[in-house]
Amino acid sequence: MKFICPLLVVKDMDCSKRFYQDVLHAKVTVDLGANVTIENAFALQTEESWLSFTGLAPDKVKTCPNQTELYFEEPDYDGFLHRLESMTEIQYLHAPEEMPWGQRVVRFYDPDDHIIEVGEPMDCVISRMRKQGLSEEQIAKRTGFSVQDLQKFE
């Protein structure tokens, strides 16, 4: 068996496609109208189509469950935040923050209240820490990687 991708149920496909394309610069790789694949990583399905396939009643489709998210990494994290700040329609779960291991992340909602997280890749985190003058031992302690593992990020 092979896992293919997660599927998100959406109310307005055009709105959702625009969101993923504009905010995350995601590319649509398959567009079948009611079903769209984003960069072969996840799919969007209209609620109407989803209900017809599953036989669920409309009241069984919950919005804003706050228990799952789609996770993305952006090497130009500061540039992404700058672009995100200019988008007035973004509803934040929380402002950008630095996690205890040094990675910077931001979480916000898509048009159907699915949580989106965008984080700084760990190679960028480690590079930033090196530029700040932290020793390999300090970086290892902060990130949870071993000093040996940090060599993979050179």
Side-chain angles (χ1 to χ4, degrees):
M1 184 178 300
K2 177 182 173 186
F3 176 76
I4 301 300
C5 71
L7 181 142
L8 301 178
V9 176
V10 301
K11 292 190 183 303
D12 182 330
M13 184 62 76
D14 290 333
C15 178
S16 292
K17 283 193 307 191
R18 271 193 313 278
F19 173 86
Y20 285 100
Q21 290 170 324
D22 294 349
V23 176
L24 299 172
H25 289 168
K27 293 176 179 49
V28 172
T29 54
V30 177
D31 188 340
L32 303 174
N35 185 285
V36 170
T37 302
I38 305 291
E39 295 187 286
N40 298 316
F42 65 96
L44 305 174
Q45 182 86 35
T46 61
E47 184 176 302
E48 179 182 342
S49 176
W50 176 251
L51 292 172
S52 73
F53 291 151
T54 63
L56 291 170
D59 66 335
K60 294 295 183 185
V61 177
K62 299 178 187 334
T63 59
C64 203
N66 289 319
Q67 62 200 29
T68 58
E69 69 177 22
L70 292 181
Y71 173 70
F72 298 84
E73 290 186 342
E74 173 55 59
D76 181 13
Y77 188 75
D78 292 322
F80 173 75
L81 288 181
H82 181 72
R83 193 167 47 81
L84 194 63
E85 290 167 0
S86 70
M87 299 179 176
T88 57
E89 71 276 9
I90 299 298
Q91 180 188 349
Y92 289 90
L93 178 62
H94 64 74
E97 63 184 7
E98 189 168 315
M99 304 308 291
W101 55 90
Q103 182 186 37
R104 298 179 297 163
V105 302
V106 63
R107 289 182 180 91
F108 50 93
Y109 293 98
D110 80 355
D112 292 281
D113 294 327
H114 301 109
I115 297 174
I116 307 299
E117 176 182 350
V118 178
E120 182 181 31
M122 286 307 294
D123 60 333
C124 295
V125 173
I126 292 165
S127 175
R128 179 169 44 84
M129 289 179 178
R130 286 176 174 147
K131 288 176 185 171
Q132 292 170 345
L134 275 67
S135 70
E136 294 297 287
E137 290 76 19
Q138 290 170 315
I139 295 171
K141 183 177 180 181
R142 177 87 191 271
T143 62
F145 288 104
S146 71
V147 173
Q148 282 181 308
D149 286 338
L150 292 177
Q151 294 172 4
K152 297 174 187 173
F153 295 100
E154 292 181 350

